[in-house]
Amino acid sequence: MSEQQHVLFDPLLQDLSDRARDEVLAAFSAVQYAAHPVAEVQLAGLRDVTLRRQVQKMLKLIGRVLVQVDGTHWTSGYADDIAAALTAQGWQPLSVVDRAVLVLVLIHSVAIPRSEGILTGDSWKSARPTTVDELRTTKISGEERRLALQRLRAAGLIQLSGDHSGGPSYIPGPQLQRLTPAARRRLQDQLILAAAPASPIAEAIRARNGTATPLDAASSSTEQEEGVA
């Protein structure tokens, strides 16, 4: 942690015992910088409700929030209002090609299975990997696609699936776990509307929301998580 951050957090930490301070700092660093969500059982700063509240206060000072994953793990992500402000300012860390490839992976691995009732809940975990053939488009060359896949893997937005029997295939990466519940729901809704607009789930989404919003706007929160961990 930088000296500047220590100055920012000192007012929150100064009244804690040395042990509690160490536990809070360890939990803060873990949720901020670990590549994957951290098990609650591993850190007292996440297990203990009082200490976890201090971690939440530290994250709030830098525009982030605690995000619970699968009920037993924690990570951090941009607060919804901060993500909205960054989007309004035009902040966009991913190139057009990278966004296109990411959306294709999410559609094939998450949106289509969910629209067919194969994938339930709101998790990004998917047993339905996206194959290279499904990523082939007339507008993206093979070299552009290869480089985009490398960048997205390096950013943790996608990852290789465990089954390589039919060649490399891809599933959502751990950085998507950093989305808040509201951001995750918006993105998943828009992916389903794009992948299966005539499905019963899409009809339910339109009925709930009134009107559909553009996919790019919904996916902006995901793209803002590049390079965090």
Side-chain angles (χ1 to χ4, degrees), residues 131-210:
T131 66
V132 173
D133 284 342
E134 289 170 327
L135 293 175
R136 289 194 173 97
T137 71
T138 56
K139 294 184 179 181
I140 302 176
S141 69
E143 180 65 10
E144 287 179 319
R145 182 175 62 250
R146 183 183 67 81
L147 294 174
L149 288 169
Q150 287 182 353
R151 290 189 292 267
L152 292 171
R153 285 182 61 195
L157 292 171
I158 64 172
Q159 59 188 335
L160 283 169
S161 71
D163 182 9
H164 305 303
S165 57
S169 55
Y170 302 89
I171 57 176
Q175 285 292 305
L176 289 166
Q177 304 287 355
R178 293 185 180 274
L179 291 173
T180 65
R184 184 167 60 246
R185 183 171 58 252
R186 288 195 301 270
L187 176 55
Q188 290 173 342
D189 285 355
Q190 294 308 312
L191 287 169
I192 290 174
L193 290 171
S199 67
I201 295 180
E203 292 178 5
I205 291 171
R206 283 190 291 270
R208 185 179 71 235
N209 297 340

